[in-house]
Amino acid sequence: MGAVRELILRGDLTAGTRLGEVELAERLGVSRTPVREALSRLAAEGLVEIVPNRGARVASWTVAELEGVFDLRSALEPRITALAVPRADAADITVLDELARTMLDVGLPGPDQDLDALVPLNRRFHDRLVVVAAQPALATALAGAIHAPIQLRNFHAYDDASLRRSLAHHVEIVAAIRAGDPTWAQAVMTAHIQNARTVMLRVAREQEAP
């Protein structure tokens, strides 16, 4: 599964590309069985769409669909971040700070950059904020708004400036939490999501262009 995921994340298999089991098996030097299993798992993650009687293809999203996702994130995630501020204890701040600093180490442009390693770190950072906020209704709504593939792909779509801005936002969010300032934390998360929105909508518009 890792090999197929890597081909999608790197952009070797672009949105809408048909994923034939035979072709993929030959390309990867494996039998069709592990390919079939990989496609099923990637479909569960949202990276792949499987249509009955038509096979599998790399999942794609329209500009309108992405706008809807980011509208929901913009409404929910900054609020959750603000609510997390008064609830965060020293251990929470330590964990968030370590995640933010590690993301800088692996995400900044350079020979040691590892965008795939950045993905789980980013998810842990955002998930920790949700847990600390302790707002089950908002957490459930946010989980429904976030599409895993968007989280997986967005770092590959970023230009250097947008990526640096995104990584810096994590560090500043931690600073706002440490300062006990929910207004500051909410504002930075709002900017963080708008930065991601701009990147992802640009990519989607390029893909929809004739």
Side-chain angles (χ1 to χ4, degrees):
M1 181 173 70
V4 181
R5 182 193 282 112
E6 178 64 19
L7 289 172
I8 294 173
L9 293 177
R10 269 205 323 255
D12 292 348
L13 297 173
T14 57
T17 300
R18 181 181 174 278
L19 300 171
E21 291 180 9
V22 174
E23 292 86 348
L24 277 175
E26 291 177 351
R27 181 171 184 171
L28 299 174
V30 298
S31 68
R32 292 179 61 181
T33 299
V35 169
R36 187 179 304 115
E37 293 173 352
L39 292 177
S40 296
R41 292 178 186 176
L42 293 172
E45 292 182 8
L47 276 175
V48 168
E49 297 171 345
I50 298 179
V51 181
N53 302 318
R54 297 181 62 183
R57 65 177 184 176
V58 179
S60 59
W61 296 269
T62 66
V63 170
E65 287 170 337
L66 286 175
E67 285 178 336
V69 169
F70 281 105
D71 283 346
L72 285 170
R73 284 193 66 188
S74 296
L76 295 169
E77 204 158 359
R79 179 59 179 159
I80 287 173
T81 303
L83 291 168
V85 172
R87 294 176 176 273
D89 60 22
D92 294 318
I93 294 172
T94 296
V95 170
L96 289 167
D97 186 59
E98 289 176 351
L99 288 169
R101 300 293 173 182
T102 304
M103 280 189 277
L104 282 175
D105 290 340
V106 304
L108 285 175
D112 297 324
Q113 186 183 57
D114 186 347
L115 295 180
D116 290 338
L118 190 57
V119 171
L121 293 167
N122 181 68
R123 187 72 264 131
R124 285 171 58 194
F125 184 92
H126 287 264
D127 286 350
R128 185 79 177 210
L129 291 174
V130 172
V131 170
V132 173
Q135 298 289 325
L138 292 178
T140 299
L142 180 62
I146 296 177
H147 290 195
I150 295 174
Q151 300 302 320
L152 287 168
R153 291 182 182 183
N154 64 1
F155 296 116
H156 290 264
Y158 277 32
D159 57 76
D160 284 356
S162 296
L163 181 57
R164 290 179 186 276
R165 198 157 43 238
S166 179
L167 296 172
H169 286 152
H170 293 116
V171 175
E172 189 174 357
I173 288 168
V174 176
I177 295 172
R178 185 179 284 114
D181 191 332
T183 302
W184 180 14
Q186 181 167 334
V188 179
M189 182 59 80
T190 298
H192 184 64
I193 294 169
Q194 288 303 117
N195 186 52
R197 179 187 186 122
T198 298
V199 171
M200 297 308 295
L201 289 179
R202 171 182 53 78
V203 172
R205 289 189 180 104
E206 290 172 354
Q207 291 175 345
E208 286 191 359

